Amino acid sequence: MSEPTKVIRWGILGCGDVTELKSGPAYQKTDGFQVVAVMRRDAVKAADYAKRHGISKYYTNADDLINDPEIDAIYIATPPDVHKLYGLMVAAAGKICCIEKPLSPNYQDSLSICTAFAAKKIPLFVAYYRRTLPRFEQIKAWLDTNSIGEIRHIRWHLSKPASSTDLSGEYNWRTDALIAAGGYFDDLASHGLDLFTHLLGNIKEVSGLSINQQGLYTAKDAVAACWLHESGITGSGSWNFGCYEREDKVDIYGSKGKITFSVFENDPVVLSNAQGQTEVFIDHPENIQLYHVQQMREDLLRNSKHPSTGLTATHTSWVMDQIMGNL
C-alpha cells in the first residue's frame, strides 16, 4: 500500500452511469487522489469515458487494470454480482479498494470480501455515502444531543410506481433475480438500512417477508420487515415498487420528540419536540459521493476513521439477507 502522504493513484473498474457524476469526479476533486485509468469491457465506451474525464489510460480487461503497477487503489463500480470476483482479485493484488454498494448480493460473499482484505490488513471502503452527507450528520447530531429524548422506534416506507422500463419488459440487471434477488430493494433499501445502523447502532434481530406482486420481472418487488437494534430500539420498514405514488419517509420516534426525513429525496430534515418544529434544508453536493471520497483520504492519512467499511457493509448485507430469508 502507498504511503498515506503520497498521491494515491486510482483505477475505476466499471465506468458506467454511477461514475459519470455521482462518484468519478469526486475522486478527481479530492486532494491527494488521482484517477489514472478506467476499465470497461466495451473499448469504445471505455475510450470515450477516459477522454471526456481527462483520464490517461483505459483497459477492457479487469486483470490488467488491477495489476497495473502505476495504480495504488481500485474503485469497483460494477453490478454487485461480480463484486466478490473483483474484490478478491484486488485483495490478492494488495491494493486499497472501494466497492460500490451493496458490498455483494449476499452476506456470505460480503463476508468473504471483508475477510480477504482484513487478512492482508488492506483498507476496504464501501460506497454507502449517506453516512457522510451533511443532512444525515445533522440528524445524528440531533440524536447525539438527545433532541428527541430516548429513541424508541424507527419506521421507513419507500414506494414508487413501476417505471416505463419495468412495464416494457426491457432488461434491467437491477430487477434480474440472478443478479439482485431483491430487485430495487437490494439497490435502494440497502442505503437506508445501512444509514440506520450508522445512526442507531447495529441490528441484532430482524425478520421479513418478500413477494413479487406485479410479475413484471424475476426479482421481488414488495418487501416488509421488522428489526431490533442492539440498543433496544425497534424498527419497521416497507418497500413496494408498484404503488400509485412515490413516497420516501422515515420517522424516528423518541420519548420527547420525533425526527422526520427522506433517505433519497432532497427534502428538509424536520425535528419536532416541545420547543416546536425545526426544518433544516441541506442540499447535496454536485458529486454526491464527494464527502465519502474525501473521508477515505482522511482515513488513509490516519486523521479520522471512515464510517463505511467492509465490516459495516457486511453487517448491512446480513440484515438484508435476514429480511429476504436468504440465511
Side-chain angles (χ1 to χ4, degrees):
M1 188 178 77
S2 299
E3 291 298 322
T5 54
K6 295 181 179 179
V7 170
I8 295 174
R9 302 165 297 179
W10 285 83
I12 300 179
L13 202 166
C15 46
D17 289 345
V18 72
T19 67
E20 289 286 354
L21 182 64
K22 288 183 175 181
S23 62
Y27 286 81
Q28 294 175 301
K29 291 179 179 180
T30 297
D31 291 340
F33 280 5
Q34 182 182 2
V35 180
V36 300
V38 296
M39 175 267 164
R40 191 166 184 170
R41 285 176 295 180
D42 186 313
V44 173
K45 290 182 178 179
D48 175 67
Y49 184 97
K51 181 180 180 180
R52 287 186 292 104
H53 291 273
I55 298 168
S56 58
K57 293 189 291 186
Y58 69 89
Y59 293 100
T60 57
N61 182 281
D63 191 66
D64 293 337
L65 178 84
I66 292 169
N67 292 294
D68 183 334
E70 296 183 349
I71 293 176
D72 308 305
I74 304 291
Y75 166 40
I76 299 173
T78 62
D81 62 318
V82 289
H83 284 183
K84 179 183 177 182
L85 170 66
Y86 292 140
L88 294 182
M89 289 171 64
V90 174
K95 297 188 177 182
I96 301 162
C97 191
C98 178
I99 301 180
E100 261 303 325
K101 45 64 57 188
L103 178 54
S104 82
N106 61 74
Y107 170 67
Q108 289 299 329
D109 284 356
S110 294
L111 185 61
S112 295
I113 298 167
C114 185
T115 301
F117 281 90
K120 288 203 167 188
K121 298 181 180 179
I122 303 168
L124 171 61
F125 307 100
V126 181
Y128 281 115
Y129 55 83
R130 277 172 173 75
R131 288 178 175 239
T132 59
L133 286 174
R135 71 192 314 262
F136 300 116
E137 289 186 337
Q138 174 62 70
I139 293 168
K140 186 164 178 55
W142 282 337
L143 296 174
D144 290 346
T145 55
N146 297 314
S147 296
I148 61 169
E150 295 183 9
I151 305 163
R152 304 300 192 201
H153 183 78
I154 183 168
R155 177 182 65 187
W156 182 25
H157 176 71
L158 175 68
S159 64
K160 72 179 187 69
S163 69
S164 57
T165 300
D166 298 335
L167 295 170
S168 72
E170 180 183 342
Y171 179 77
N172 178 1
W173 66 261
R174 288 179 174 83
T175 54
D176 182 345
L178 296 177
I179 296 176
Y184 294 118
F185 173 79
D186 284 355
D187 187 33
L188 300 176
S190 58
H191 265 301
L193 290 166
D194 182 83
L195 175 64
F196 300 163
T197 61
H198 176 58
L199 296 174
L200 306 175
N202 280 353
I203 291 169
K204 67 176 184 178
E205 295 179 33
V206 57
S207 62
L209 54 86
S210 59
I211 191 172
N212 185 314
Q213 292 180 331
Q214 303 175 89
L216 297 175
Y217 38 74
T218 57
K220 302 294 180 66
D221 61 12
V223 182
C226 60
W227 61 86
L228 178 66
H229 291 267
E230 291 176 353
S231 60
I233 299 165
T234 57
S236 60
S238 56
W239 304 267
N240 194 292
F241 303 101
C243 284
Y244 170 68
E245 62 182 0
R246 184 179 181 91
E247 183 177 342
D248 175 11
K249 184 182 179 184
V250 180
D251 292 303
I252 301 178
Y253 297 91
S255 60
K256 296 181 180 179
K258 181 176 77 168
I259 297 171
T260 301
F261 62 96
S262 166
V263 173
F264 298 104
E265 302 300 326
N266 213 10
D267 297 332
V269 293
V270 182
L271 169 66
S272 303
N273 57 22
Q275 284 71 50
Q277 183 168 294
T278 302
E279 293 190 6
V280 179
F281 180 81
I282 304 172
D283 204 355
H284 294 316
E286 178 186 14
N287 311 114
I288 202 163
Q289 292 197 22
L290 180 63
Y291 300 114
H292 158 73
V293 176
Q294 289 177 340
Q295 288 196 31
M296 284 198 291
R297 176 63 177 170
E298 291 302 302
D299 186 294
L300 295 170
L301 288 170
R302 300 181 176 90
N303 292 332
S304 61
K305 289 290 186 181
H306 197 285
S308 183
T309 65
L311 190 62
T312 64
T314 297
H315 178 68
T316 299
S317 292
W318 176 81
V319 172
M320 297 283 288
D321 266 19
Q322 290 283 349
I323 291 172
M324 294 300 295
N326 295 334
L327 290 178

